[in-house]
């Protein structure tokens, strides 16, 4: 097969593909692209190429998966520096030997590369305890559009020298530069773990549990909320508790010293007085479950014609209203999942496109009325164009535009991903 | 004449009690807690975002540089008006606008003092985690601008991990919002970029913060060692063991001398080093954990480990650490504190280097620092009135920073670059790195009117303006009888 055909984006394939093996080669490819005026799409595993608009120009696919080395792991220091094409799964397999981990569990984390995770800024359930990649990233090396290599941050856990470039590049969707190396602070793996499942007939009844976990001084590892449809999907392949009356399920994952884990479980059960089902999962089930949950509510790329996935940013106390808004449209089959202590909801809707657009439009109005935000994460480009990628679009976007113009003046890196520049 | 016009315009906005312009008033605003000085031409005290924006527009009209000042406890000269101009002081914007106890959020004005947030939140069993040792004085605006840390940032992260959104007045007077109460606001992370930008990108006029649940139990350990080496080996071992305590702070022999004689907090005067360790969270298993950490310390030859659970006893042990900088007054009239960070396993080596540097320069150096993070605070003792000693202190400081960078570390972990370390930036960053930061700055602050010449290596223009001002400041100040209206209670801030 022609190499370029492996990098399709919104029905287009690039003219050129490069698979550099070293950081210096990345810089050289970008210099070549600058000379030739090519628009460049950095490519990790491709798991999340569907996020953002499809680029308005696409000449070169820059595949970074051969940059997959660990550059420096200081186990005694709980820090690591890796190349950006490394897969998260491979990194964590290596760290497990030291009793450490990079506690990230983004969607499609089995495939996702470090660079892709950073560029999309996606997070998973473990964020409840450890924060997102934003909080763990301590240093970054980037190849700019003209091939210049720059770095920000470092390999120490505290650093205020210069602007916080790691924060700027995190979530920038590859529009400001190509991330080639990243340094993280690591965490020790918890000594013990357990997961409890609670089934509720209404989201309102689950709120006392999720909000009490938010302010629990034992800091649960994850507090994930799923709707019944999401639960049924998981139950198809896993031994999970069943309750036809449950519309909402809350999973509480506790970690730490054994006595702390038990205490969190006791407190969760006490706060879940409205639950029909309260179950402690077996270790094996829990571990399989947590590996599957991050993908729920996300569409793979390319998105199917009859699907859209969105993210709502609300406050944790607004999740009941959020649940109601998500399931208000009868003709849309909705699978959703929320970080219960963070107020972020990921939802995937299936149905006729016209109805999907109405559903998304209603969700957008709802999120804005709550003072939150709304983003289309997956779906046909036509739907993204029709609705705009995110809301609200505030005056700060002008500053973002100026930053883009400063760092990529020719607009050749993932042009149009955010809908501007 | 121009000066009179500016004053008139400022007084129209800020009234007679909201502007300072006379030399003997300005004198009080010419320094922060670093050793640099620079007198502003005017100081204003806004009470609202609109007033901040109005002040910015006036400054722009007359080409005045703008410097924002919180409490002036900064340790790198960030709030020093070395180019003169308009100083905007945020201390009258000190309202806590909201505590959302259900969602663990606080909305505050920039002049709110750090500890006031935790005090307001404590009624709900919550607190604001970043705890700089200056927390009784420093403002949240300054904390955000500096991305401040503190002893307990080891477990909970620094300021940037606790800021969700900001209201910012841009250098052209436009007001924007970045981030918000919800997580993951779409687009570039301008909140993350503003935090730690040292007042060079915009003026923070409101902040949305993340609060945390107060730990149910805290155990404080005091581990006493004969040598700094043993103590730093113990720090590495505790981190590597896989339990991250709330805080691990170290003080060396010199620091213990000063602190113990000032505070009587119970550190043995003959100790080579002490570690102050907090383990906290749920009471379940906490004392086991404390004993586990005590055993690690003993393994590295701690000659004594005290375990305190009683709040009064814990408070006493911590009072020495919190008052350590002030206590240096016992040893010397002035100190220069450095803020380099090294990978934690490099602590023993770098601490030995610091002692060696002190000996070479004939200066006493005390160490009081955030050991768990590898964040050093060598306090170089000297006398500011002696130019030769001052020069040696500054040079020794730069050499310490160099040693930190060579050990794989950084220039500053929490105090910022400001004026003090701007010319050391090339130790860490290439010209391309610095150019990228300059471009980012240009996206916010194209005219360079906001905190000019801070954070980045000084240009020729900065140096010239600075020496002109320095010459002017060397002139004697003529004290005059007050011409302003009679003192009222509002004048207390002077
Ligand atoms: C005894 C002592 C102990 C200290 N301990 C610590 C510690 O443990 N950890 C630590 O991190 N620091 C520590 N510091 C340093 C200092 O307290 C912090 O940097 C603090 O955050 C400064 O706050 P401030 O209000 O005094 O800011 P200022 O000194 O007034 O200003 C600091 C910087 O912030 C900018 N700024 C202030 N307000 C705003 C605003 N609203 N918008 C934009 N920019 C603004 C200023 O322009 C300046 O660049 C200590 C200082 C002292 C004197
Ligand atoms: C940013 C900043 C601004 C300051 N501004 C002023 C100011 O405007 N006016 C002013 O008078 N001071 C000023 N100081 C000095 C400050 O008031 C003293 O350092 C103060 O005593 C320390 O207070 P503390 O709360 O940190 O320690 P404290 O707990 O008050 O003092 C600790 C112990 O150290 C001893 N001690 C402290 N300082 C000295 C000293 N200089 N000589 C001998 N022993 C000492 C005390 O006796 C006490 O026992 C300033 C300090 C800073 C950091």
């Amino acid at each position: 097969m022609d190499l370029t055909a492996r990098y399709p984006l919104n029905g287009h394939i690039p003219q050129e593909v490069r698979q550099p093996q070293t950081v210096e080669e990345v810089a050289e490819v970008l210099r070549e692209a600058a000379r030739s005026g090519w628009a460049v799409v950095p490519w990790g595993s491709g798991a999340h190429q569907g996020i953002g608009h499809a680029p308005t120009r696409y000449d070169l696919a820059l595949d970074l998966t051969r940059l997959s080395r660990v550059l420096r792991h200081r186990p005694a220091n709980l820090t690591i520096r890796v190349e950006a094409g490394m897969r998260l799964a491979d990194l964590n397999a290596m760290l497990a030997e030291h009793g450490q981990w990079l506690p990230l569990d983004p969607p499609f984390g089995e495939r996702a590369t470090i660079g892709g995770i950073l560029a999309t800024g996606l997070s998973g359930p473990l964020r409840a305890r450890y924060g997102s990649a934003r909080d763990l990233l301590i240093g970054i090396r980037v190849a700019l559009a003209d091939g210049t290599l720059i770095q920000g941050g470092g390999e120490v856990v505290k650093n205020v020298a210069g602007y916080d470039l790691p924060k700027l590049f995190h979530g920038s969707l590859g529009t400001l530069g190509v991330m080639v190396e990243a340094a993280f602070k690591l965490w020790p793996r918890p000594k013990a773990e357990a997961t409890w499942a609670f089934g509720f007939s209404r989201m309102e009844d689950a709120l006392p549990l999720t909000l009490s976990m938010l302010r629990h001084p034992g800091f649960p590892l994850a507090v994930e909320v799923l709707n019944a449809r999401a639960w049924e999907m998981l139950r198809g392949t896993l031994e999970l508790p069943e309750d036809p009356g449950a519309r909402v399920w809350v999973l509480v994952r506790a970690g730490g010293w054994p006595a702390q884990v038990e205490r969190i479980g006791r407190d969760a059960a006490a706060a879940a007085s409205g639950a029909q089902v309260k179950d402690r999962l077996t270790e094996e089930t829990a571990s399989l479950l947590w590996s599957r949950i991050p993908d729920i509510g996300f569409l793979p790329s390319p998105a199917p014609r009859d699907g859209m996935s969105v993210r709502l940013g609300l406050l944790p106390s607004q999740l009941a209203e959020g649940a109601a808004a998500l399931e208000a449209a009868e003709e849309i089959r909705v699978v959703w999942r929320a970080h219960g202590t963070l107020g972020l909801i990921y939802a995937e809707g299936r149905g006729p496109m016209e109805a999907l657009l109405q559903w998304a439009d209603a969700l957008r109005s709802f999120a804005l009325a709550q003072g939150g935000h709304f983003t289309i994460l997956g779906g046909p480009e036509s739907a993204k164009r029709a609705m705009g990628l995110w809301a609200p679009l505030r005056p700060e976007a002008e500053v973002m535009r100026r930053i883009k113009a400063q760092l990529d003046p020719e607009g050749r890196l993932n042009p149009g991903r955010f809908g501007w520049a | 004449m121009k000066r009179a016009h500016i004053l008139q315009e400022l007084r129209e906005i800020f009234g007679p009690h909201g502007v300072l312009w006379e030399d003997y008033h300005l004198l009080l605003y010419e320094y922060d807690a670093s050793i640099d000085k620079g007198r502003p031409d005017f100081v204003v005290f806004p009470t609202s975002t609109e007033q901040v924006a109005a002040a910015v527009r006036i400054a722009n009209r007359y080409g005045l540089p703008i410097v924002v000042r919180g409490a002036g406890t900064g340790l790198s000269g960030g709030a020093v008006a070395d180019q003169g101009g308009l100083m905007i002081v945020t201390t009258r914007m000190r309202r806590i606008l909201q505590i959302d106890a259900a969602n663990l959020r606080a909305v505050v004005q920039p002049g709110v003092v750090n500890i006031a947030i935790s005090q307001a939140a404590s009624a709900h069993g919550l607190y604001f985690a970043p705890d700089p040792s200056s927390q009784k004085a420093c403002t949240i605006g300054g904390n955000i601008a500096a991305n401040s840390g503190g002893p307990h940032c080891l477990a909970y992260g620094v300021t940037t991990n606790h800021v969700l959104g900001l209201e910012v007045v841009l250098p052209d007077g436009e007001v924007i919002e970045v981030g918000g109460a919800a997580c993951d606001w779409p687009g570039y992370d301008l909140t993350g970029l503003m935090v730690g930008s040292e007042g060079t990108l915009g003026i923070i006029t409101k902040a949305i913060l993340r609060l945390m649940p107060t730990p149910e139990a805290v155990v404080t350990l005091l581990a006493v060692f004969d040598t700094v080496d043993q103590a730093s080996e113990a720090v590495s071992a505790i981190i590597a063991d896989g339990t991250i305590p709330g805080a691990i702070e170290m003080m060396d022999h010199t620091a213990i001398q000063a602190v113990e004689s000032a505070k009587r907090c119970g550190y043995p005067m003959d100790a080579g080093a002490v570690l102050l360790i907090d383990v906290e969270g749920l009471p379940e298993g906490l004392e086991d954990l404390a004993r586990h950490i005590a055993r690690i310390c003993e393994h590295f030859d701690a000659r004594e480990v005290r375990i305190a659970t009683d709040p009064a006893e814990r408070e006493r042990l911590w009072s020495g650490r919190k008052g350590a900088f002030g206590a240096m007054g016992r040893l010397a009239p002035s100190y220069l504190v450095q803020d380099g960070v090294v990978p934690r396993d490099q602590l023993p080596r770098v601490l030995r280097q610091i002692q060696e540097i002190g000996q070479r320069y004939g200066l006493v150096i005390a160490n009081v620092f955030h050991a768990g993070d590898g964040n050093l605070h060598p306090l170089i003792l000297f006398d500011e009135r002696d130019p030769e000693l001052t020069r040696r202190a500054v040079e020794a400081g730069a050499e310490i920073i160099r040693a930190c960078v060579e050990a794989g570390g950084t220039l500053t972990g929490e105090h910022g670059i400001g004026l003090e370390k701007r010319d050391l930036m090339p130790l860490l960053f290439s010209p391309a790195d610095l150019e990228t930061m300059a471009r980012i700055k240009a996206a916010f602050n194209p005219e360079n009117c906001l905190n000019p010449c801070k954070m980045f290596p000084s240009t020729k223009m900065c140096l010239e303006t600075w020496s002109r001002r320095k010459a002017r400041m060397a002139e004697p100040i003529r004290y005059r009888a007050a011409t302003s209206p009679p003192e009222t209670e509002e004048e207390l801030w002077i």
Side-chain angles (χ1 to χ4, degrees), chain A residues 77 134 158 175 215 373, chain B residues 124 183 188-189 344 414 443:
Chain A
N77 197 40
R134 176 192 197 265
K158 268 171 94 180
T175 60
R215 53 179 308 138
H373 58 81
Chain B
H124 308 281
C183 300
Y188 299 148
D189 183 2
R344 299 175 260 223
E414 52 180 31

Side-chain angles (χ1 to χ4, degrees), chain A residues 20-283:
Chain A
Q21 313 241 11
T22 64
V23 167
E24 284 65 33
E25 283 177 23
V26 175
E28 181 47 43
V29 170
L30 285 166
R31 283 194 290 272
E32 182 191 8
R35 284 192 299 273
S36 317
W38 291 335
V40 179
V41 173
W43 203 285
S45 68
H48 289 304
Q49 285 291 352
I51 291 186
H53 284 295
T56 47
R57 290 196 299 135
Y58 178 26
D59 304 312
L60 171 76
L62 178 49
D63 182 330
L64 294 156
T65 50
R66 294 188 182 178
L67 286 181
S68 59
R69 281 158 290 235
V70 172
L71 299 174
R72 185 162 35 231
H73 177 210
R74 295 179 187 263
N77 197 40
L78 282 171
T79 58
I80 197 162
R81 187 176 194 93
V82 299
E83 289 181 330
M86 183 159 201
R87 285 172 197 257
L88 174 68
D90 295 339
L91 174 58
N92 269 330
M94 188 279 269
L95 289 171
E97 292 167 25
H98 299 271
Q100 302 180 348
W101 62 345
L102 180 62
L104 296 175
D105 52 353
F108 310 123
E110 279 301 301
R111 283 195 286 147
T113 61
I114 295 296
I117 292 167
L118 292 176
T120 52
L122 292 175
S123 56
L126 282 172
R127 177 170 181 182
R129 170 67 184 90
Y130 298 103
S132 67
R134 176 192 197 265
D135 300 292
L136 299 168
L137 183 67
I138 55 177
I140 198 151
R141 194 158 180 225
V142 178
L144 296 179
D146 64 359
T148 307
L149 287 168
I150 61 148
Q151 52 132 1
E155 271 176 74
V156 284
V157 296
K158 268 171 94 180
N159 194 347
V160 296
Y163 296 138
D164 197 341
L165 297 186
K167 299 280 184 300
L168 178 61
F169 283 96
H170 177 257
S172 65
L173 281 185
T175 60
L176 297 177
V178 179
M179 286 177 269
V180 290
E181 292 175 12
F184 294 96
K185 63 175 168 187
L186 303 173
W187 281 83
R189 280 183 181 261
K191 310 265 180 211
E193 259 198 47
T195 296
W196 288 265
F198 304 92
F200 298 90
S201 54
R202 302 182 315 156
M203 185 62 218
E204 285 83 341
D205 300 336
L207 275 184
L209 171 59
T210 53
L211 293 178
S212 77
M213 289 295 106
L214 168 60
R215 53 179 308 138
H216 198 285
F219 304 115
L221 300 183
V223 181
E224 205 71 355
V225 186
L226 299 104
N227 73 344
R229 204 174 262 121
W231 190 252
E232 288 312 310
M233 274 169 51
L234 289 164
R235 232 169 51 77
T237 55
L238 293 171
E239 289 263 343
L240 294 175
E242 184 183 2
D243 176 7
R247 303 305 308 147
V248 170
W249 292 82
V250 179
L251 291 163
V252 175
R253 181 180 184 183
W257 294 76
Q260 297 170 338
V261 171
E262 296 310 317
R263 160 78 195 277
I264 295 169
R266 277 200 307 279
D267 291 352
S273 56
Q276 324 288 323
V277 180
K278 306 184 188 186
D279 256 22
R280 183 186 187 130
L281 305 182
T282 66
E283 250 173 66

Side-chain angles (χ1 to χ4, degrees), chain B residues 130-401:
Chain B
D131 60 340
S133 304
S134 51
Q135 70 184 148
K136 287 181 189 161
C138 62
T139 66
I140 187 67
N143 294 170
I144 293 170
N147 191 13
S148 292
H152 291 84
C153 292
L154 174 60
Y156 307 119
V158 292
T159 302
T160 192
N161 306 111
H162 302 268
V163 177
L164 291 160
L166 300 170
E167 178 186 80
V168 176
V169 176
L170 292 175
D172 62 1
E174 193 191 347
V175 183
I176 61 167
E177 276 178 282
V178 300
C183 300
D184 282 1
W185 221 264
Y188 299 148
D189 183 2
L190 299 186
T191 311
L193 195 55
M194 283 299 305
V195 180
S197 64
E198 299 191 22
T200 63
L201 299 182
I203 302 172
I204 297 150
T205 47
K206 190 162 83 184
I208 305 176
L209 309 172
R210 195 164 71 92
L211 301 173
M212 301 242 308
T214 315
E216 283 181 8
V218 188
V219 178
T220 300
L221 286 86
L222 180 81
V224 183
F225 296 85
D226 286 330
T227 69
V228 165
D229 261 20
Q230 292 162 349
S232 26
E233 301 282 358
V235 172
S236 280
I238 294 167
I239 299 290
D241 177 65
T243 36
I244 299 193
I248 309 181
E249 299 283 307
M250 195 192 300
M251 270 167 276
D252 71 1
H253 180 74
T254 311
I256 293 167
Q257 299 303 300
V259 166
E260 187 54 31
S261 59
K263 290 273 175 187
R264 307 264 167 251
C265 41
Y267 309 159
M269 286 291 259
D270 62 338
V274 295
L275 292 182
L276 207 54
I277 304 168
D278 264 4
V279 286
E280 53 186 53
L282 300 177
E284 283 79 7
L286 201 64
E287 290 194 29
D288 290 342
L289 182 54
R291 275 193 294 276
H292 177 71
I293 289 174
R295 275 194 297 276
I296 297 180
C297 292
E298 276 152 11
H299 180 77
F300 287 92
D301 296 322
R303 68 175 204 220
E304 181 193 352
V305 182
R306 263 182 256 163
I307 299 184
T309 47
D310 166 54
E313 174 62 6
R314 294 200 315 98
E315 182 72 16
R316 193 162 86 99
L317 290 178
W318 271 100
S319 72
R321 170 61 186 93
K322 297 252 166 172
F325 286 18
M328 289 304 140
R330 297 256 164 173
L331 302 182
S334 322
Y335 63 77
L336 174 67
V337 57
Q338 282 301 355
D339 180 40
V341 187
V342 298
R344 299 175 260 223
D345 47 9
Q346 300 293 306
L347 278 176
R349 196 166 69 77
V350 175
L351 284 167
R352 277 195 296 273
Q353 265 176 297
I354 291 175
Q355 284 320 313
E356 188 268 315
I357 291 168
Q359 277 154 17
R360 198 142 35 77
Y361 283 86
L363 294 165
V364 174
I365 302 180
N367 284 290
V368 182
F369 65 101
H370 311 307
D373 290 319
N375 188 182
L376 298 161
H377 283 342
L379 295 144
I380 307 170
L381 305 178
F382 69 108
D383 184 344
E384 223 172 333
R385 294 161 297 189
D386 179 340
E388 165 60 16
L389 263 183
T390 307
R391 188 190 59 77
R392 282 197 340 237
V394 170
E395 276 178 23
E399 200 164 319
I400 290 173
I401 293 294

Side-chain angles (χ1 to χ4, degrees), chain B residues 7-39:
Chain B
L7 180 61
Q8 191 186 338
E9 285 202 37
L10 290 173
R11 292 182 82 162
E12 271 165 29
I13 307 277
F14 294 95
H17 303 305
V19 191
L20 300 180
W21 74 96
E22 301 214 68
D23 268 343
Y24 64 95
H25 284 160
L26 298 176
L27 194 57
L28 294 172
Y29 291 89
E30 71 173 22
Y31 58 90
D32 62 2
S34 73
I35 57 180
D36 290 297
K37 288 194 169 59
R39 199 170 309 156

